[in-house]
Amino acid sequence: MSTEEYRKEQQFIHELYARLDHLREEARTAVRAALGDNGTGFQARLERDVLVAEQSGLLAAFDAGENGLCFGRLEFRDGRDHHIGRIGIREDDEERTPLVVDWRAEVARPFYLATGHEPMGLRRRRHISTKGREVTALHDEILDLNDTTRTGHEGHDADEVLLAALGAARTGRMNDIVRTIQAEQDRIIRAPHHGVLVVEGGPGTGKTAVALHRAAYLLYAHREQLARRAVLIVGPNPAFLGYIGEVLPSLGETGVLLATPGELFPGVHATGTETPEAAEIKGRATMADVLARVLRDRQTVPPTHAPLEIDHDGYGTLLLDRDMAEDARWDARSTGLPHNLARPRFAFRVIDALTDQLAERLGADPFGGPNLLDRSDITQMRKEIAASSRVHAAIDELWPVLTPQALVSAFLAEPDGYLPDGEAEFVRREGGPWTEADVPLLDEAAELLGHDDTAERAAAERERRERIAYAQGVLDVAYASRTYEFEDVESEVLGAHDIIDAERFAERQEEADHRSAAERAAADRTWAFGHVIVDEAQELSAMAWRLLMRRIPTRSMTLVGDPAQTGDAASCGSWREILGPYVGDRFDHVRLGVNYRTPAEIMEVAAAVRRAEDPDFRPPRSVRSTGVPPWERVTDDLPGEVAAAVRRERPAEGRLAVIAPAPHHPALTAALPDAAHGPDPDLTRPVVLLEPRQAKGLEFDTVIVADPDAIRSGGPHGVNDLYVALTRATQRLGVVRVTG
């Protein structure tokens, strides 16, 4: 390629990367200078930390956007032209002239939306392909048919760039689609971020990519708001999060929290497995009422004929009977506060009742006169009772301080009486790791219990007063050290104590929290996010939705999914069933109907599986055909046949996945020693072994589905699981059945 147009673009790319290198070195120099600063004052430390954080963020964006930094150019009929790229970079002049415009900027929209029918002011749209810092190809689209100028790079097929990207070998990591965003995708990406947007689409329609680019766009368009509150992206499993993990950094965004549903309760990482029956039971919305009943049963009172006996030193035995405890319990419950926050009210009422009992005993007039104790005597008795460890032990027995883990564990150990007949055995468990289905229960328990931070606030106040006392000592020393020359005259020299008091001085010494919003959000169960994106949203249970809705009180959400791919027994069903309890029918619903991943030959086989149960099923339309039909083998040696197929089908470039039911994995792991496998497999390996649920949202060049009949019969939504498995391939599909 030696044309003048190519030479000009290559020169521009070199200039652009030179500017990028200069900006990168400026950021590194600033970081080195800040870290080498010996300033020890609070303000100096704060300025250093802020500078390091800002420049480190720039470095991360520069490094992430390095590959394919510029991928397009817009030439307008009015003479303007703009290069389009992953991140915006400006020249070092007074006007800060853009060298390359961020793809999210409004001026970049014609790159994705302009057509010959609606050119949006363009005369030409250019796609620039690069490898490293070298231009490898140009592809021009003429949008103004009256313009007769030609460059020699005009393409015969407007979809040439898209099809080339779709046919490229997979790497085990999702690539961004910033070069190939289609018009229907762009409209979803840039939709207003208020309210709930449901994006539905079949396999290969780009739902996940659209959701991730929407996150990047929202962070660009609403930077100040979302940088403070952060964006949460929820994915179905660790393998999926690893697969999509490089997309947002490649677009210059690193401040997003990615998590699975099992990671949304701080301090708990769900690693246990669950039976489908137990997951379905735990996912029901009625579990909220079950846990409330479990909690109320922990708010006990003594039996009618067996009051609690409390030995009170020097005064004999106090009796805490049922009536006293019921009065205290009613009073505590009437506050409407969560259990742990209502406990002080219960304790106060018990202490008051025991104080009245003791006062009546000690102050009774033997001749029936008034009580012989005065107010100060009763106040002193109340203090003594309130300080009694035996009294507090009795209160703990009737109204204990509980953690979410303790409450849920108590239910799982003894579920009888809380579930319909025959279901208790499915969820009964003592000990063991938490499961993903447990996490919403823990979150519900946390809401019911509340967190009494009285002791923490008291400790923080003590620490604050200690800092103030220390600061006062420093100021006193500073005052005492003033030179003797001013001892007998009124000094005009201001000292530290003249311009700041001890409290403000102490505040300046406090260490600021320099964690990112995403880092702080990950550690705070009560954090309210600015926007939440849920991928494979159709899989979540009713209890999981209760958890998520607590994280987003503004209901600013993007939900991505496909009911035809639902596999979880605890899933809610339709979007209306999912969202009705929270927003009614006030949500927008859009559907992506074009399949960019799956060739038509493979999609025909997958669609036939769904049509066997639903004759009216209509799959998304595939945009390409490879001419390679899927193959099928029948065998009585599944591991051997699959291993032979892997050797035969393994692509020279790209990735191959074997998707099989869990019972086959031990034998297949032995037959495929080089394959990545396990709960969080390395998807960048050439061959990976997955269960059908693990394959959700992923794509591979070649897929071999092992024992499809077992997948189909493996659960209540087995047909959907098989549909998912059959639609993961971008090039070739093979099916290995088992005889008999």
Side-chain angles (χ1 to χ4, degrees):
M1 190 185 299
S2 58
T3 66
E4 178 64 16
E5 288 294 321
Y6 168 76
R7 188 194 65 77
K8 288 192 298 184
E9 293 294 1
Q10 184 64 74
Q11 180 179 351
F12 171 78
I13 293 295
H14 285 165
E15 292 173 356
L16 177 63
Y17 275 103
R19 176 62 177 156
L20 177 69
D21 290 339
H22 177 72
L23 292 172
R24 184 185 279 126
E25 188 54 38
E26 280 187 341
R28 287 174 178 155
T29 300
V31 170
R32 286 194 293 266
L35 294 177
D37 185 3
N38 294 322
T40 57
F42 171 76
Q43 194 65 28
R45 294 200 308 273
L46 177 61
E47 291 175 356
R48 177 197 65 198
D49 292 347
V50 169
L51 179 62
V52 169
E54 289 178 345
Q55 299 303 314
S56 298
L58 283 175
L59 281 170
F62 292 154
D63 291 343
E66 165 87 18
N67 186 35
L69 178 58
C70 175
F71 53 81
R73 177 175 175 174
L74 298 177
E75 298 179 17
F76 289 87
R77 285 180 294 190
D78 61 8
R80 293 178 297 134
D81 65 80
H82 296 289
H83 280 88
I84 310 299
R86 298 176 183 280
I87 57 176
I89 293 181
R90 295 179 178 274
E91 294 187 26
D92 187 17
D93 56 20
E94 292 185 0
E95 291 77 21
R96 304 286 292 165
T97 306
L99 264 175
V100 62
V101 174
D102 192 299
W103 66 276
R104 296 165 288 190
E106 187 64 24
V107 72
R109 289 205 76 179
F111 188 78
Y112 304 110
L113 297 183
T115 64
H117 179 69
E118 183 55 61
M120 300 179 70
L122 290 183
R123 70 181 186 88
R124 184 187 308 274
R125 173 169 50 205
R126 169 169 289 173
H127 297 266
I128 304 172
S129 299
T130 58
K131 184 175 184 179
R133 300 187 174 194
E134 300 299 318
V135 176
T136 59
L138 302 179
H139 179 91
D140 288 345
E141 295 178 62
I142 304 300
L143 297 172
D144 182 358
L145 299 181
N146 294 321
D147 186 349
T148 59
T149 304
R150 295 294 180 266
T151 65
H153 297 285
E154 289 76 18
H156 299 293
D157 186 349
D159 293 328
E160 182 179 322
V161 175
L162 171 64
L163 294 174
L166 296 177
R170 267 45 189 174
T171 64
R173 292 288 181 262
M174 176 180 275
N175 296 318
D176 64 70
I177 59 169
V178 68
R179 296 177 61 235
T180 59
I181 293 172
Q182 302 301 292
E184 67 170 355
Q185 297 171 330
D186 183 81
R187 283 188 284 271
I188 296 171
I189 289 168
R190 298 174 190 260
H193 85 290
H194 297 294
V196 178
L197 173 64
V198 174
V199 183
E200 183 179 326
T205 53
K207 303 182 300 296
T208 298
V210 166
L212 294 173
H213 287 69
R214 177 162 168 75
Y217 172 75
L218 293 176
L219 285 163
Y220 173 85
H222 307 278
R223 176 75 61 190
E224 183 176 350
Q225 176 184 351
L226 295 183
R228 290 197 310 270
R229 302 310 313 167
V231 172
L232 170 66
I233 297 179
V234 181
N237 54 57
F240 176 84
L241 294 185
Y243 177 65
I244 69 171
E246 295 178 4
V247 173
L248 285 168
S250 75
L251 300 175
E253 299 296 346
T254 58
V256 175
L257 177 61
L258 276 68
T260 67
E263 297 170 334
L264 293 176
F265 190 85
V268 169
H269 187 67
T271 58
T273 57
E274 197 80 85
T275 65
E277 294 84 358
E280 190 276 325
I281 293 168
K282 292 179 180 181
R284 296 173 187 168
T286 54
M287 283 304 303
D289 296 328
V290 168
L291 288 176
R293 287 165 48 207
V294 174
L295 178 58
R296 289 177 72 86
D297 288 346
R298 297 303 181 275
Q299 300 166 353
T300 60
V301 296
T304 303
H305 302 296
L308 293 181
E309 297 183 355
I310 304 170
D311 184 20
H312 190 50
D313 294 339
Y315 298 103
T317 300
L318 298 176
L319 298 178
L320 178 51
D321 61 28
R322 185 181 186 90
D323 288 342
M324 294 163 59
E326 283 185 339
D327 286 344
R329 183 172 67 176
W330 181 89
D331 194 46
R333 287 176 174 174
S334 68
T335 64
L337 293 171
H339 173 87
N340 288 335
L341 299 183
R343 183 179 183 275
R345 184 68 167 264
F346 179 84
F348 291 152
R349 285 296 300 268
V350 168
I351 290 168
D352 284 347
L354 293 175
T355 301
D356 292 344
Q357 183 184 116
L358 184 58
E360 183 176 351
R361 180 190 303 172
L362 297 181
D365 183 345
F367 302 104
N371 195 296
L372 301 177
L373 300 175
D374 61 22
R375 186 182 299 273
S376 63
D377 295 327
I378 295 174
T379 299
Q380 182 60 35
M381 284 191 295
R382 180 178 284 105
K383 289 180 179 178
E384 293 174 358
I385 290 174
S388 169
S389 60
R390 295 183 179 89
V391 171
H392 282 284
I395 292 171
D396 287 341
E397 181 178 341
L398 301 178
W399 195 290
V401 175
L402 295 170
T403 65
Q405 289 87 339
L407 185 66
V408 175
S409 294
F411 162 68
L412 295 178
E414 298 182 12
D416 305 273
Y418 297 108
L419 297 173
D421 292 342
E423 294 186 350
E425 290 307 313
F426 288 119
V427 303
R428 190 186 308 279
R429 188 183 78 223
E430 293 193 31
W434 296 110
T435 70
E436 186 174 293
D438 292 330
V439 168
L441 303 187
L442 291 168
D443 198 71
E444 189 72 29
E447 285 291 302
L448 293 169
L449 294 172
H451 176 61
D452 185 359
D453 62 351
T454 303
E456 297 168 16
R457 286 188 284 109
E461 179 61 19
R462 286 195 300 272
E463 185 179 341
R464 188 182 75 87
R465 293 189 179 280
E466 289 171 2
R467 287 198 304 269
I468 292 173
Y470 175 79
Q472 186 62 59
V474 172
L475 292 175
D476 291 344
V477 170
Y479 179 76
S481 65
R482 296 179 70 183
T483 62
Y484 67 89
E485 298 177 24
F486 301 108
E487 287 182 355
D488 298 324
V489 297
E490 185 176 351
S491 173
E492 295 182 0
V493 179
L494 293 176
H497 64 281
D498 295 314
I499 58 176
I500 191 170
D501 59 24
E503 186 169 357
R504 291 189 178 183
F505 186 46
E507 289 175 356
R508 291 190 178 186
Q509 307 311 308
E510 292 182 27
E511 289 290 339
D513 186 350
H514 296 306
R515 292 177 299 169
S516 69
E519 291 170 330
R520 285 181 282 128
D524 184 355
R525 192 193 71 83
T526 63
W527 188 273
F529 287 91
H531 193 80
V532 170
I533 293 174
V534 186
D535 205 316
E536 303 294 347
Q538 77 280 352
E539 300 290 347
L540 297 189
S541 69
M543 288 300 292
W545 283 112
R546 286 176 66 89
L547 179 156
L548 275 177
M549 291 300 178
R550 294 187 188 106
R551 305 298 192 268
I552 186 70
T554 62
R555 304 294 189 256
S556 178
M557 308 178 77
T558 303
L559 310 182
V560 180
D562 178 17
Q565 298 183 63
T566 301
D568 200 298
S571 60
C572 290
S574 71
W575 300 117
R576 197 167 299 280
E577 289 176 292
I578 290 171
L579 296 171
Y582 306 102
V583 297
D585 59 358
R586 300 184 304 279
F587 62 91
D588 293 325
H589 179 260
V590 296
R591 182 171 178 84
L592 295 169
V594 178
N595 186 337
Y596 299 100
R597 176 207 304 143
T598 316
E601 295 85 352
I602 296 176
M603 200 63 217
E604 183 178 348
V605 171
V609 169
R610 291 286 295 120
R611 287 198 188 100
E613 287 204 353
D614 180 8
D616 295 328
F617 174 74
R618 302 181 68 178
R621 176 180 58 84
S622 296
V623 299
R624 64 195 181 99
S625 172
T626 61
V628 181
W631 56 262
E632 182 175 311
R633 302 280 191 279
V634 180
T635 181
D636 57 3
D637 177 17
L638 184 71
E641 184 64 38
V642 169
V646 168
R647 290 191 296 270
R648 184 175 64 250
E649 297 288 337
R650 183 170 173 172
E653 290 185 276
R655 301 295 180 270
L656 181 149
V658 175
I659 303 177
H664 289 308
H665 277 226
L668 288 172
T669 299
L672 303 169
D674 296 331
H677 61 277
D680 188 10
D682 181 0
L683 299 178
T684 64
R685 296 267 293 275
V687 179
V688 61
L689 173 63
L690 300 169
E691 297 178 31
R693 300 280 178 86
Q694 285 182 294
K696 281 184 177 293
L698 309 183
E699 59 183 34
F700 305 90
D701 299 87
T702 301
V703 170
I704 298 172
V705 177
D707 199 355
D709 296 326
I711 295 176
R712 185 197 298 265
S713 61
H717 299 297
V719 171
N720 295 351
D721 290 337
L722 180 56
Y723 178 61
V724 168
L726 293 170
T727 54
R728 299 304 98 191
T730 65
Q731 301 295 335
R732 295 175 64 85
L733 171 68
V735 177
V736 180
R737 297 185 182 275
V738 178
T739 56

